[in-house]
């Protein structure tokens, strides 16, 4: 496995639900969602997920588990880290 890009930079955009964070995420890379509820399929309204037709960049870590699935913090951390590492390997700056 290759090492992540030397810079290893990550951009983090934080704020409350529906505050416009997604509109700031167009930095030429993918967005790695770190919202604990957006990982679940079907939890669209209460989590203010950006609808697929309105996404300008790939949105990772969204709709990756069923609501009845055991999806732990450890699994979330591992999966999100894999997304970040893959973006860094491709010389993209991950946006979280």
């Amino acid at each position: 496995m290759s090492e992540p890009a030397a810079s290893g930079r990550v951009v983090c955009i934080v704020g409350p639900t529906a505050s416009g964070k997604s509109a700031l995420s167009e930095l030429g890379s993918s967005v790695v969602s770190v919202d604990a509820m957006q990982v679940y399929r079907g939890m669209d309204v209460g989590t203010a997920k950006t609808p697929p037709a309105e996404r300008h960049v790939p949105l990772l870590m969204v709709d990756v588990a069923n609501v009845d699935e055991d999806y732990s913090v450890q699994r979330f951390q591992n999966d999100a880290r894999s997304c970040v590492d893959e973006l860094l390997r491709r010389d993209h700056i991950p946006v979280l």
Side-chain angles (χ1 to χ4, degrees):
M1 181 184 300
S2 63
E3 289 296 314
S7 70
R9 292 183 286 167
V10 175
V11 173
C12 297
I13 301 173
V14 298
T17 298
S19 64
K21 296 180 299 295
S22 295
L24 299 173
S25 63
E26 297 180 37
L27 300 174
S29 185
S30 299
V31 172
V32 181
S33 174
V34 292
D35 184 303
M37 293 295 109
Q38 287 192 4
V39 297
Y40 294 107
R41 291 180 198 94
M43 304 257 316
D44 298 346
V45 176
T47 61
K49 285 182 194 172
T50 303
E54 295 176 23
R55 297 175 189 172
H56 301 285
V57 296
L59 184 55
L60 310 174
M61 294 301 298
V62 170
D63 294 333
V64 298
N66 293 319
V67 293
D68 61 352
E69 188 176 339
D70 184 23
Y71 197 84
S72 67
V73 172
Q74 181 179 5
R75 183 172 166 198
F76 180 89
Q77 289 175 338
N78 290 338
D79 291 348
R81 186 70 218 197
S82 292
C83 292
V84 168
D85 289 344
E86 178 58 28
L87 291 168
L88 290 171
R89 270 191 282 285
R90 294 181 1 221
D91 287 327
H92 293 241
I93 297 174
V95 179
L96 279 67

